[in-house]
Amino acid sequence: MENVHFAIVGCGHIAKKHAEGIKNTPGATLVAVCDTIPSNMEWYVQECQAVAYQDYDEMLKNPKIDVVNICTPSGSHAPLAIKAAEAKKHVIVEKPIALTIKDADAIVEACKKNKVKLSVLHPNRFRPAMMELKKMMDEGRFGKLSHANATVRWNRNQQYYDQAPWRGTKSLDGGVLMNQAIHNLDLLLWLMGDIDEVYSMSATRLRKIEAEDVSVGTVKFKNGALGVIEAATTIYPKNFEESLSIFGETASVKIGGRTANFIEHWVMEGMPEEEVAQLKHKINENPYGIPGHQCIIEDMVQAVNDDREPIITGEDGIRALRLVAGLYQSAEKRMPIKAHDIE
């Protein structure tokens, strides 16, 4: 296996998860970082021996870089990803892939045109409980699906939004659906399939931000099943729960906890209680598993070496973005929106 060299652009909070994932992945090396603020890069220079760049275009000239990890505010993803692709660098982009479908499409097109690989950070798919649930759904253990419930009840206080001027803005960040709940919505689509129609209401109730801090909505999937979505950053005084529940004719499952890592309910036809207890014990022993960021970086290393598509693709990122865009569109127009009308 050939060593794959990574660069990170945007050295804020989330970038350290990328750096740790690279550090813990065999065959991966962090060689460069880029940020407009020099002090933000000091940790990466000292701890990872990465070369620091303030100029992104200059960094992209470095021939050693194979993959660029984009960790900047969401509204800036598209131009940075497109430049990386044009420089023949593979791309890992933080969620959401972009804030508009037009920008997301442009990222995917640039990566295809330049024959580079693209992966989007939806790491929650690698949670042990979610992987078990996905396996059971793929095996058809739920029978005909009835409905699903995706819930994010978290706290992001005003201090959180005040940390940076881009937070909570519509142009660079988005609200609870685009920022916090999009991981949960990606899981919902991964498990339930594509959407047919959405209907939503949203509000900005407690935080002084442009975007929404609470949203409720419903979904009809192409398979005929229904879904309920609830997302809020207004929960007092701290994160309460993130959960995903799936109901079918032969199974009912809820994965919950503060970050949807634990089996809270698992009843399945043909699965004895003893087997369910063993599964719960297995998950409780290691509910978080290998960090999702590391899993995605490991996958990119394998994808580059094997010349295959990453597990989580640009199209996957667009699918989650389209759901959020549809919910926004419905709330704005106060009417149901068909999937083919989402803009």
Side-chain angles (χ1 to χ4, degrees):
M1 180 184 290
E2 290 189 18
N3 198 49
V4 177
H5 300 94
F6 288 77
I8 294 173
V9 55
C11 294
H13 167 74
I14 202 66
K16 286 193 176 179
K17 288 190 176 183
H18 289 250
E20 290 294 331
I22 294 165
K23 179 181 178 182
N24 293 323
T25 297
T29 304
L30 180 64
V31 297
V33 290
C34 181
D35 199 285
T36 56
I37 303 172
S39 60
N40 288 353
M41 298 184 281
E42 290 176 359
W43 183 88
Y44 303 88
V45 173
Q46 294 170 5
E47 296 296 322
C48 309
Q49 289 74 55
V51 178
Y53 294 85
Q54 283 184 264
D55 188 310
Y56 183 59
D57 293 333
E58 194 65 30
M59 186 188 79
L60 291 177
K61 294 177 184 177
N62 185 336
K64 288 185 66 177
I65 296 170
D66 301 304
V67 184
V68 175
N69 291 32
I70 297 172
C71 303
T72 57
S74 304
S76 64
H77 288 176
L80 297 172
I82 291 167
K83 276 191 175 185
E86 290 173 344
K88 308 301 181 184
K89 315 295 186 186
H90 305 294
V91 177
I92 295 178
V93 60
E94 262 294 340
K95 61 77 189 170
I97 181 173
L99 292 185
T100 68
I101 296 169
K102 180 181 177 182
D103 278 352
D105 285 340
I107 293 172
V108 170
E109 180 59 31
C111 289
K112 286 181 177 178
K113 180 180 178 181
N114 291 282
K115 298 181 180 179
V116 297
K117 304 184 190 306
L118 169 64
S119 188
V120 182
L121 253 298
H122 285 296
N124 297 3
R125 294 189 190 188
F126 297 96
R127 291 173 175 175
M130 290 299 173
M131 289 193 289
E132 291 288 345
L133 176 55
K134 175 64 171 172
K135 177 184 173 185
M136 295 299 174
M137 295 200 73
D138 288 347
E139 291 177 0
R141 299 290 295 272
F142 280 73
K144 187 176 183 179
L145 292 169
S146 164
H147 66 290
N149 188 296
T151 301
V152 177
R153 294 168 173 161
W154 283 352
N155 174 277
R156 296 293 184 271
N157 59 24
Q158 192 61 44
Q159 184 180 2
Y160 165 85
Y161 291 106
D162 291 344
Q163 286 177 30
W166 56 268
R167 289 192 174 180
T169 63
K170 292 182 178 180
S171 62
L172 289 174
D173 190 25
V176 61
L177 287 173
M178 190 71 81
N179 194 340
Q180 286 78 27
I182 197 165
H183 285 311
N184 197 269
L185 299 182
D186 171 69
L187 292 174
L188 181 68
L189 296 170
W190 186 49
L191 295 166
M192 296 294 291
D194 289 335
I195 62 171
D196 176 60
E197 187 176 29
V198 299
Y199 182 57
S200 176
M201 292 184 288
S202 65
T204 309
R205 295 291 297 163
L206 303 183
R207 309 299 175 227
K208 296 177 182 178
I209 58 175
E210 285 182 357
E212 83 289 350
D213 59 13
V214 60
S215 176
V216 295
T218 55
V219 180
K220 182 180 179 182
F221 296 94
K222 284 188 176 180
N223 59 23
L226 303 180
V228 177
I229 295 167
E230 176 194 341
T233 53
T234 58
I235 306 305
Y236 179 82
K238 57 186 179 181
N239 287 0
F240 174 44
E241 69 169 334
E242 176 193 7
S243 66
L244 193 64
S245 303
I246 310 288
F247 304 99
E249 62 180 333
T250 53
S252 298
V253 170
K254 179 182 179 182
I255 309 297
R258 285 193 181 179
T259 52
N261 286 94
F262 298 91
I263 295 174
E264 293 191 352
H265 180 76
W266 189 291
V267 179
M268 196 165 288
E269 185 177 89
M271 192 170 188
E273 290 185 11
E274 181 181 340
E275 189 178 343
V276 173
Q278 290 173 351
L279 177 59
K280 287 182 177 180
H281 178 72
K282 172 186 165 184
I283 297 300
N284 287 338
E285 280 192 320
N286 186 22
Y288 303 101
I290 298 171
H293 281 70
Q294 181 179 332
C295 291
I296 288 171
I297 288 161
E298 288 177 357
D299 177 60
M300 179 60 83
V301 170
Q302 294 276 349
V304 170
N305 276 281
D306 297 342
D307 192 23
R308 62 161 173 82
E309 282 294 295
I311 291 173
I312 302 176
T313 64
E315 286 78 5
D316 290 324
I318 291 176
R319 195 170 291 114
L321 176 63
R322 283 184 64 82
L323 175 52
V324 173
L327 293 168
Y328 281 161
Q329 197 173 329
S330 174
E332 182 179 344
K333 294 188 175 182
R334 300 185 180 183
M335 60 182 289
I337 302 293
K338 298 291 286 185
H340 56 72
D341 291 326
I342 295 174
E343 299 173 347

